[in-house]
């Protein structure tokens, strides 16, 4: 009956056939599912040793036989009130636990796990220097024209479909999505966890999202492409401010990756010389070209990653 039904209180004798009260009490209190059911022992075996043993096993009260009905009713009401308070508390604790899990899941969708843990421990801001990482910017080609033809809601749905596919691929290559800026997707490898072959992994990621575009065009019935810029170098990574936390990267290496996306060959994966030198034996590239980049005195030597 206890396995099949929820009980608020059990009145238990010690002298019973097959299984005595001690065994029942021990079994119920040893089971996580039934350990919180209040139990009152009612028994003629009321010597002090039996009373102590029952209380040590987890009984909530001991009433000797023959029992007084008024006393029994008073004890039952008292324990049922405690049980009601306990159940209410457990309900609230469960709701708090559920809300905390939702909050933690939301936090982990915004920040890398290691950074979220540091902020939960009380850190106001967090920043760290990384000597060598690879950064990627991927911009949707044809998005401006598309925005003139479809509604804002359709446009957001479209971006969500595309970037969600990119998100799925990040975990495959240990890539950290940093943020989206309009129709531009920013990601990096080597932060916040150090990865030795970060350039190679991010190149594989870039090739896969580039190859994903024709499939997405067919699925979404649109004509779009992407231009990608990639660069490797030192960055500062972290979280600043007190509201609307976001994990971000700063440094010249980030700026160069962004410039390669903006000024590089459209519909191609444009990579800097620093990234090329790390992966030149693992992929195929076009011949180098020199690119005029805003904010840079010298031209940048760039390559197009083919496969």
């Amino acid at each position: 009956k206890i396995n099949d039904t929820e009980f608020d209180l059990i009145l238990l004798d010690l002298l019973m056939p097959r299984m005595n009260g001690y065994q029942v009490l021990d079994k119920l209190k040893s089971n996580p599912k039934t350990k919180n059911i209040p139990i009152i022992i009612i028994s003629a075996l009321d010597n002090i040793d039996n009373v102590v043993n029952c209380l040590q096993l987890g009984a909530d009260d001991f009433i000797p036989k023959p029992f007084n009905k008024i006393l029994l009713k008073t004890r039952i009401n008292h324990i049922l009130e405690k049980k009601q308070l306990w159940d209410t508390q457990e309900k609230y604790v469960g709701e708090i636990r559920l809300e905390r899990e939702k909050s933690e899941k939301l936090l982990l969708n915004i920040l890398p796990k290691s950074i979220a843990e540091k902020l939960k421990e009380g850190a106001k801001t967090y920043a760290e220097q990384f000597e060598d990482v690879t950064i990627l910017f991927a911009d949707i080609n044809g998005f401006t024209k598309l925005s003139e033809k479809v509604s804002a809601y359709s446009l957001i749905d479209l971006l969500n479909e595309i970037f969600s596919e990119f998100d799925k691929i990040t975990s495959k290559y240990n890539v950290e999505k940093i943020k989206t800026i309009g129709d531009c997707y920013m990601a990096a490898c080597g932060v916040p966890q150090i990865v030795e072959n970060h350039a190679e992994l991010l190149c594989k990621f870039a090739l896969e999202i580039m190859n994903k575009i024709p499939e997405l065009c067919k699925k979404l019935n649109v004509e779009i492409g992407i231009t990608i810029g990639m660069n490797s170098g030192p960055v500062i990574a972290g979280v600043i401010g007190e509201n609307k936390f976001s994990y971000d990267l700063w440094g010249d290496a980030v700026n160069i990756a962004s410039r390669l996306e903006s000024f590089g060959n459209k519909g191609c994966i444009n990579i800097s010389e620093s990234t090329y030198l790390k992966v030149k034996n693992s992929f195929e590239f076009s011949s180098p070209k020199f690119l005029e980049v805003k904010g840079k005195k010298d031209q940048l030597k760039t390559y197009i990653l083919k496969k």
Side-chain angles (χ1 to χ4, degrees):
K1 284 185 178 180
I2 291 170
N3 284 333
D4 297 335
T5 311
E6 290 187 7
F7 288 92
D8 292 313
L9 175 65
I10 295 172
L11 304 181
L12 182 64
D13 203 342
L14 292 180
L15 295 174
M16 300 188 297
R18 289 185 295 178
M19 196 173 187
N20 65 44
Y22 291 119
Q23 292 170 314
V24 174
L25 181 60
D26 184 49
K27 192 174 182 66
L28 292 176
K29 293 299 179 180
S30 300
N31 186 341
K33 293 182 179 179
T34 57
K35 69 177 183 178
N36 292 323
I37 303 175
I39 298 175
I40 297 177
I41 304 296
I42 305 178
S43 176
L45 302 177
D46 59 349
N47 64 68
I48 191 65
D49 289 338
N50 286 335
V51 175
V52 171
N53 286 339
C54 289
L55 294 177
Q56 286 179 337
L57 284 171
D60 293 81
D61 206 343
F62 191 109
I63 297 178
K65 282 184 178 180
F67 58 85
N68 181 289
K69 291 184 180 180
I70 297 175
L71 175 63
L72 177 60
K73 184 178 180 181
T74 302
R75 299 280 180 87
I76 286 174
N77 287 339
H78 175 66
I79 286 179
L80 286 177
E81 285 177 6
K82 285 175 62 179
K83 177 67 164 53
Q84 187 177 22
L85 289 172
W86 171 265
D87 288 346
T88 302
Q89 178 182 306
E90 284 295 287
K91 177 186 174 184
Y92 288 144
V93 168
E95 290 175 356
I96 291 169
R97 188 182 298 115
L98 184 62
E99 290 303 316
R100 182 182 295 170
E101 288 172 359
K102 288 180 182 177
S103 298
E104 295 219 349
K105 186 176 180 181
L106 180 61
L107 189 61
L108 291 175
N109 279 337
I110 299 170
L111 300 172
K113 185 176 180 180
S114 59
I115 308 304
E117 292 296 330
K118 287 181 173 64
L119 292 177
K120 280 162 57 180
E121 289 168 4
K124 297 284 185 180
T125 59
Y126 176 81
E128 189 176 1
Q129 172 85 37
F130 290 87
E131 295 303 324
D132 195 23
V133 304
T134 302
I135 308 103
L136 172 147
F137 285 88
D139 187 69
I140 306 296
N141 301 334
F143 192 77
T144 303
K145 287 184 178 179
L146 192 63
S147 65
E148 298 169 355
K149 299 178 182 178
V150 301
S151 68
Y153 292 110
S154 298
L155 209 60
I156 294 301
D157 285 342
L158 178 67
L159 269 183
N160 183 60
E161 284 270 1
I162 296 168
F163 289 160
S164 293
E165 288 296 326
F166 291 3
D167 289 346
K168 292 175 186 176
I169 303 170
T170 57
S171 57
K172 185 176 177 181
Y173 297 108
N174 204 9
V175 169
E176 186 70 38
K177 175 186 177 181
I178 304 300
K179 60 184 175 182
T180 57
I181 312 152
D183 59 345
C184 184
Y185 188 96
M186 180 185 178
C189 191
V191 289
Q193 303 299 323
I194 295 173
V195 180
E196 293 299 327
N197 60 335
H198 52 84
E200 179 183 349
L201 289 172
L202 202 58
C203 283
K204 289 179 178 179
F205 172 79
L207 286 167
E208 186 154 344
I209 64 173
M210 179 67 77
N211 293 332
K212 194 78 177 175
I213 292 300
E215 179 187 324
L216 288 169
C217 286
K218 186 176 181 180
K219 177 183 176 182
L220 303 172
N221 193 29
V222 293
E223 292 184 12
I224 56 170
I226 56 170
T227 299
I228 296 174
M230 292 175 59
N231 181 46
S232 301
V235 299
I236 299 290
V239 176
I240 58 174
E242 295 183 357
N243 299 313
K244 296 184 179 179
F245 290 136
S246 66
Y247 185 70
D248 211 343
L249 308 180
W250 298 271
D252 193 49
V254 178
N255 297 335
I256 290 174
S258 177
R259 299 287 189 273
L260 287 176
E261 177 271 308
S262 299
F263 300 102
N265 290 64
K266 297 299 177 185
C268 298
I269 303 171
N270 304 279
I271 74 166
S272 66
E273 186 176 24
S274 62
T275 304
Y276 169 78
L277 293 174
K278 296 175 185 298
V279 297
K280 61 182 180 180
N281 296 323
S282 302
F283 302 95
E284 290 185 18
F285 299 90
S286 66
S287 300
K289 293 183 179 180
F290 289 89
L291 189 67
E292 292 280 355
V293 172
K294 181 181 177 182
K296 290 289 177 184
K297 292 181 180 179
D298 300 324
Q299 291 182 324
L300 286 179
K301 193 176 185 180
T302 67
Y303 300 79
I304 294 175
L305 174 62
K306 292 185 172 181
K307 60 181 180 177

